Amino acid sequence: MTNTRQTTRRRKTSSRRRTSSRSRSSRRGSVGIRLPFLHIHLSRAAIFGGLAGIVVYVWAFYYFFVGPTGFRWRALYGDDKYPEGYEVHGIDISHYQGTINWDRLRSNAMVDGCPIRFIIIKSTEGSSRIDPNFDENFYQAREYGFIRGVYHFWSNNSSARSQANYFLSKVHLLDGDLPPVLDVEHKPKNESVEDFQTDILTWLHIVENKYGVKPIIYTYYKFKDAYLSAPVFDDYPYWIAHYYVDKVEYQGKWKFWQHTDVGKLPGIKGHVDLNIYNGSYYDLMRLTIGNQENVVVAE
């Protein structure tokens, strides 16, 4: 009886050991199957993550430094070089420049040893927005003896006619002011080039009929080449935005060149856009509304 019980216990113990051994073996086999899968899964994630990082880097580099809209972003280290061979300098301003100290700007502002001659001011945007500092800037620019200009920022969310009428309702230029400016930088994705050009011409014609002068078109040269290269636009003075280069790459005629957006001048906190006029001060005066025949050039 005792031997039988011992034999039975040995059989049960042996059975439990075999069962435990099979269980451990099964677990090891399961781990051995899952780990390679996990390794492959992580490797694929790393590969896709790396590729995504490369794509983002290439896109960002193109957009900020190569692409046609790259000029709208601030320079990383500033730009203290000015185009050589030009004597007539100016700036363009909006509420981004804050409250301007006009006394300091008039008395001390110089660019490459030359005084600031003209100031172009943001007025309206679309068919319902006006720059909050427009009235003050518009009044003070003329009061302090600068040649004054005004620009409208084009919006793809409003019709050309409504934008032109809104601009004319808010802006009242006088003889001696520069022709009105249309700042256009974006084309609707779902609109053809021909329809877009028709819209731009509608704005230009309405404003031209009001003031009797051809408005100035402001945009960067790649945009003009792509969307405003029709011969009809060559009749309008061109203000080119082209930053951080020694010379203009645009092959056509141009009147103004916005060459940096990180200018520093007394009387203005922070950065301001710097511009040059492609001609003499006398030529600039002749460009103004009224086209004065007897121009007295102030020194």
Side-chain angles (χ1 to χ4, degrees):
M1 186 71 175
T2 301
N3 291 336
T4 302
R5 289 177 179 173
Q6 289 176 346
T7 301
T8 302
R9 282 197 296 270
R10 283 197 297 270
R11 288 175 179 174
K12 290 181 178 179
T13 300
S14 176
S15 176
R16 284 197 297 269
R17 287 174 179 172
R18 287 195 298 270
T19 302
S20 176
S21 177
R22 285 195 299 269
S23 177
R24 286 195 298 270
S25 176
S26 176
R27 285 197 297 271
R28 284 196 299 269
S30 176
V31 172
I33 292 172
R34 286 199 298 266
L35 283 177
F37 172 78
L38 181 61
H39 176 71
I40 293 172
H41 179 72
L42 291 176
S43 297
R44 287 178 178 174
I47 291 172
F48 286 124
L51 290 175
I54 293 173
V55 170
V56 171
Y57 176 83
V58 171
W59 174 86
F61 184 86
Y62 174 82
Y63 188 83
F64 283 93
F65 300 105
V66 180
T69 58
F71 83 92
R72 290 180 52 80
W73 298 91
R74 300 294 179 186
L76 297 178
Y77 303 107
D79 181 17
D80 56 0
K81 295 182 179 179
Y82 306 113
E84 297 181 355
Y86 302 96
E87 297 181 353
V88 182
H89 296 266
I91 59 176
D92 59 275
I93 59 175
S94 69
H95 68 279
Y96 288 110
Q97 278 65 53
T99 300
I100 294 174
N101 185 325
W102 290 92
D103 287 321
R104 291 194 65 200
L105 186 66
R106 174 75 273 181
S107 302
N108 303 317
M110 305 282 285
V111 175
D112 203 23
C114 300
I116 296 298
R117 295 293 197 181
F118 63 91
I119 297 179
I120 303 177
I121 305 152
K122 181 179 181 181
S123 58
T124 51
E125 179 175 342
S127 59
S128 60
R129 297 179 62 182
I130 187 167
D131 189 272
N133 288 23
F134 169 66
D135 289 337
E136 175 70 9
N137 289 338
F138 186 69
Y139 172 79
Q140 297 292 3
R142 191 177 180 98
E143 187 73 8
Y144 277 82
F146 297 102
I147 296 179
R148 181 178 64 179
V150 172
Y151 72 90
H152 169 81
F153 190 86
W154 175 266
S155 170
N156 292 324
N157 298 321
S158 304
S159 71
R161 186 170 298 276
S162 65
Q163 292 190 61
N165 290 334
Y166 183 67
F167 173 79
L168 294 177
S169 71
K170 298 297 182 181
V171 177
H172 305 287
L173 297 171
L174 304 173
D175 285 352
D177 290 335
L178 290 171
V181 179
L182 177 60
D183 177 348
V184 53
E185 304 174 22
H186 302 284
K187 184 190 80 68
K189 294 181 179 179
N190 59 348
E191 187 175 29
S192 68
V193 174
E194 292 75 14
D195 289 343
F196 177 66
Q197 291 179 348
T198 298
D199 288 341
I200 298 301
L201 286 171
T202 297
W203 191 98
L204 294 172
H205 290 160
I206 292 174
V207 175
E208 181 179 353
N209 288 337
K210 166 67 176 180
Y211 287 108
V213 295
K214 289 191 175 298
I216 298 167
I217 298 175
Y218 166 96
T219 193
Y220 48 98
Y221 81 97
K222 290 185 179 180
F223 187 92
K224 189 175 191 305
D225 282 343
Y227 305 117
L228 301 177
S229 59
V232 65
F233 293 106
D234 294 337
D235 294 335
Y236 294 88
Y238 179 31
W239 177 12
I240 183 173
H242 195 23
Y243 292 178
Y244 321 128
V245 293
D246 295 328
K247 62 180 181 179
V248 172
E249 296 179 13
Y250 177 68
Q251 299 301 312
K253 296 180 180 180
W254 56 273
K255 288 291 187 181
F256 298 88
W257 174 13
Q258 186 184 75
H259 57 86
T260 183
D261 57 356
V262 290
K264 296 285 290 184
L265 291 174
I268 296 179
K269 296 179 181 179
H271 295 131
V272 64
D273 299 335
L274 299 182
N275 303 268
I276 57 174
Y277 175 71
N278 190 19
S280 68
Y281 184 56
Y282 178 83
D283 294 333
L284 179 64
M285 294 287 288
R286 290 293 303 272
L287 182 65
T288 59
I289 296 173
N291 196 21
Q292 302 171 17
E293 294 295 335
N294 299 313
V295 177
V296 178
V297 179
E299 297 296 337

